[in-house]
Every structure is written in structure tokens, then in C-alpha cells.
Amino acid sequence: MAKVVCVLYDDPVDGYPPKYARDDIPKIDRYPDGQTAPTPSAIDFKPGELLGSVSGELGLRKFLEEAGHELVVTADKDGANSEFEKQLVDADVVISQPFWPAYMTKERFDKAKNLKLVVTAGIGSDHTDLQAAMDKNVTVAEVTFCNSISVAEHVVMMILSLVRNYIPSYQWVIKGGWNIADCVERSYDLEGMNVGTVASGRIGLAVLRRLAPFDVNLHYYDKHRLPKEVEQELNLTYHPNVESMVKVCDVVTINCPLHPETEHLFNDEMIGKMKRGSYLINTARGKIADRDAVVRALESGQLAGYAGDVWFPQPAPRDHPWRTMPHHGMTPHISGTSLSAQTRYAAGTREILEDFFAGKPIRDEYLIVEGGKLAGTGAHSYTAGDATKGSEEAAKYQKAS
């Protein structure tokens, strides 16, 4: 029998929903690159249900308990006295989501003597100290591509919301006003603007494809240049570095992983190289943008707007300056946890667990660490020896809070 500890976000304030806005969701069998969507032997939930909160349990309880395993689900994840910390001691498997991450620090790996598998129900394992996982021979996996399109759609929404000044205009309606001049004094057309993405992987490329019909000029930077036919199809301009790209772009969207090279990439210096009055979108990871540099740029007018749904730490404290800075379009980390995405990453989590318990190979595209080294997607996205600083700093924050 295995003990599975699952860290999920809290239920809605009004309680777990008895019904939903829609009766069904589209069925996605394959992703744009041809990869198949998750293929577990079965699921014990209806697609479109709220699975990412505590009561949703990622639809895993029936499956795990019928197989003789123990499932513990909690939202209490931070600090030495948290429920997660208590349950971690004899856990065999830990599952959490990027939106409500269980920060797996080296200290926590040391405590979890039985730990064999860490799963991200979603995409992004930077809340896990990968070097510690390698040292402890713990497998790390995530459900690659499950919510990439979800995030790409969120990026496009945020770009349009900032450029068209949507949020302040909506607020005038709520206030009972009809203040057209106030609404449009910061509203522009996206058409004809230069839009660039930092990284053109699954999410970045999906953003470029979705923006092409808006008749914008598309730019990108990535360590791995896209095929020539893709550049021609989307009329893309490739840049050899980020600095070259941000100088000419009206909108920059960040879609790269967090690692030492990208941590605080958008600091005062980088933002200072951007066009005055440009917009910055970050749905990648909060620490890629320097927190206070973003605030300063919005206050000075160097940035016309900043939007994103990633913070550090997560959840963000009530006094986080991004909550109150001017001209922002921030959301909690929700871009990849739509009900549609939850269906895929819950199914993918079950697929990973089925293979793990059966002693079968986990899909290569799901693997981050295996056998004491980076594997699968992890070998492409991360660097051996780089402990995840986010986990370590989060631990310090948790002790102080």
C-alpha cells in the first residue's frame, strides 16, 4: 500500500458547486504537435467538473482506495506545522499543482524518507528542488501539454485587456458611469503592433498562432529556433537574444521556464530597454520578472501595463505590491486550471499513477527526473545541478510567516 499526499487549492467560498455553467466540454484527443491527450485506463469524474480543489480530489480517491492505497488531500501546505508537512513524513507520492504548489525543498526531501514520486498536476516543476530529487532518486513527473493551450488563450485575453483598457472600462460600468473619455484615454488597437514572445515552445508558439489573425508583426526569441517553414507561415522575425526583441516590441509575452538564466530576467535594465509605453505579459513564473522593477516601471510610465497570473510565492501575500500597482491586469494563478484543463491534467495524473504502481514506464514526455538524473522533458528544459531556488526561498518565507 502507498500513501499519496495531494495538495490542492481550497473549494469555492460558497462551497463545492452542485452544478456548472455548462453541461459538457469539448473532447480533446490530441494536442497540436500530435501528442495524445492523457490515456488512463478509466476516469472517475465527469469532464468539466471542478477537480483541482480539495473536494474534487483530482478524481483520484475511488481509484486509489480500491487499489488499497491511502489518499490524503489538503490545502494546508505552508510552514512547519502545516498538514502537508505532517503527512509528508511517510508519504510515498506527493501531488500538487503549480497554482497552489507544495514547495518540495531539499529540507522536505530529507524528511520524506519513503518518497518515490512527485507529480505536478499541470505543467512546470520549478516548485520542486530537482537536484534534491536526483540525489534522493525520486521520480518527478508532470502532465506535459495538458494546459498549454489554456495558458495561451489566457495570454491573448490579457494582451487585449491591457491594450484596449478593458478592466478600467468594466469598472466604470460597475460604478454606474458612462465615462467614455476615461475609458478610451488609454485604449489602443492591437492591429499593426509588434508583439514578441520570450520562448516559442508549446505555449509561446500557440500564442503566436493565435495572434497572427490580428494582423500584428510577430517576433520571437528562443534558444531553439523554429523550423523555417513555421517562420514563413506566421511571418515571424527571429531575434538572437531577448534584448534585441524587446527594443522593437509594443507587447512582450513571457513563456519560458524559470531557471537561473531567466530568474529576474525582466529587471530594471531589461525593462529599461523596452519601448516606453509597452506592455508586459507574464504567465510563465513570477520570479522571471523582478517584483519591484515592474512596480517602478508602471509608476514611471516605462510600462503602460503589466498582466499575468504568476506570483512569488504562491499564494501571494495580501500586501504584495502587484495587487495595488497601477495599470495591472493580474489574476491568481488560474490560466492553466480552467475546468477544461483540469479534465486533462487530472486524467494525466491518474495515467502517471497507473503506470507507476504497475511498474510500467511513465511516458517520456511526462518525465522530469528519473533514475537520479534529468529525463524526458526535464532533460530538455532544465539543467542538472541547478537546485530550484524558488523552493528554497519559499521555505524561508513560510518559516517567517
Side-chain angles (χ1 to χ4, degrees):
M1 182 188 84
K3 179 175 179 178
V4 180
V5 179
C6 190
V7 176
L8 302 175
Y9 46 76
D10 287 311
D11 287 346
V13 293
D14 294 330
Y16 195 72
K19 61 180 181 179
Y20 295 88
R22 293 182 51 82
D23 295 328
D24 58 17
I25 61 171
K27 189 173 187 297
I28 305 297
D29 294 318
R30 287 186 177 272
Y31 302 130
D33 69 347
Q35 178 184 319
T36 59
T39 54
S41 63
I43 56 173
D44 298 316
F45 57 83
K46 180 181 177 182
E49 291 180 339
L50 176 58
L51 303 167
S53 72
V54 169
S55 293
E57 301 181 324
L58 292 179
L60 293 174
R61 185 167 295 279
K62 182 174 182 288
F63 156 65
L64 289 172
E65 291 186 347
E66 286 184 352
H69 305 300
E70 177 187 1
L71 175 64
V72 176
V73 180
T74 183
D76 181 19
K77 68 184 182 71
D78 295 333
N81 296 317
S82 67
E83 186 64 20
F84 174 60
E85 194 86 13
K86 296 172 186 175
Q87 297 292 341
L88 179 64
V89 177
D90 59 347
D92 297 279
V93 178
V94 166
I95 303 170
S96 72
Q97 303 166 102
F99 331 106
W100 192 261
Y103 288 102
M104 286 301 298
T105 62
K106 181 182 183 301
E107 182 181 33
R108 282 178 162 170
F109 272 104
D110 289 340
K111 288 182 179 180
K113 304 298 184 184
N114 296 339
L115 191 61
K116 303 172 185 67
L117 175 66
V118 174
V119 180
T120 298
I123 298 172
S125 297
D126 51 272
H127 56 277
T128 297
D129 188 324
L130 300 182
Q131 186 61 48
M134 287 185 267
D135 294 341
K136 298 289 185 180
N137 199 26
V138 175
T139 298
V140 180
E142 61 184 58
V143 191
T144 309
F145 220 148
C146 64
N147 55 7
S148 298
I149 302 305
S150 312
V151 177
E153 290 184 0
H154 202 86
V155 171
V156 175
M157 176 190 74
M158 285 186 152
I159 291 173
L160 289 169
S161 295
L162 287 182
V163 174
R164 298 307 299 263
N165 205 36
Y166 169 73
I167 296 172
S169 301
Y170 171 77
Q171 290 170 339
W172 276 115
V173 172
I174 299 300
K175 294 174 186 176
W178 194 262
N179 299 53
I180 294 177
D182 294 281
C183 295
V184 303
E185 68 175 348
R186 296 183 65 88
S187 178
Y188 300 88
D189 291 347
L190 183 61
E191 181 184 19
M193 285 190 174
N194 290 281
V195 182
T197 175
V198 180
S200 58
R202 294 180 179 92
I203 296 172
L205 181 56
V207 170
L208 293 171
R209 289 193 181 281
R210 279 152 182 76
L211 288 174
F214 285 89
D215 292 328
V216 294
N217 304 303
L218 294 173
H219 304 253
Y220 82 101
Y221 161 75
D222 197 296
K223 286 185 176 180
H224 309 282
R225 189 164 180 173
L226 291 169
K228 192 171 184 179
E229 56 269 24
V230 175
E231 290 186 349
Q232 292 174 342
E233 174 196 353
L234 299 176
N235 195 24
L236 303 178
T237 299
Y238 173 74
H239 292 264
N241 52 59
V242 178
E243 292 85 350
S244 167
M245 188 186 77
V246 301
K247 288 178 180 178
V248 300
C249 285
D250 303 285
V251 180
V252 175
T253 169
I254 303 171
N255 300 294
C256 58
L258 173 65
H259 51 75
E261 290 181 31
T262 61
E263 183 176 339
H264 292 165
L265 174 64
F266 280 82
N267 53 18
D268 286 304
E269 182 180 3
M270 182 67 76
I271 294 174
K273 294 177 180 178
M274 298 174 68
K275 294 175 63 175
R276 191 194 74 84
S278 52
Y279 305 88
L280 183 59
I281 315 295
N282 182 11
T283 57
R285 288 295 181 264
K287 289 188 71 182
I288 297 174
D290 181 284
R291 186 193 70 175
D292 297 330
V294 169
V295 176
R296 287 189 287 268
L298 289 169
E299 291 175 344
S300 71
Q302 175 62 18
L303 287 178
Y306 179 91
D309 71 334
V310 285
W311 311 62
F312 183 81
Q314 293 191 165
R318 290 183 177 273
D319 62 352
H320 196 293
W322 286 2
R323 293 182 183 270
T324 54
M325 62 188 178
H327 313 304
H328 80 78
M330 296 299 298
T331 57
H333 194 171
I334 60 169
S335 64
T337 190
S338 63
L339 296 182
S340 306
Q342 288 179 40
T343 292
R344 294 187 291 274
Y345 69 66
T349 300
R350 173 159 173 172
E351 180 186 345
I352 290 169
L353 292 175
E354 286 180 353
D355 290 341
F356 178 76
F357 289 132
K360 297 178 180 179
I362 295 172
R363 275 206 225 187
D364 197 55
E365 58 257 40
Y366 290 167
L367 286 173
I368 304 299
V369 171
E370 187 180 52
K373 60 183 180 180
L374 294 169
T377 296
H380 178 82
S381 302
Y382 297 95
T383 303
D386 289 332
T388 305
K389 294 182 181 179
S391 298
E392 296 170 351
E393 291 184 26
K396 294 176 185 177
Y397 173 83
Q398 290 154 10
K399 289 177 181 177
S401 60

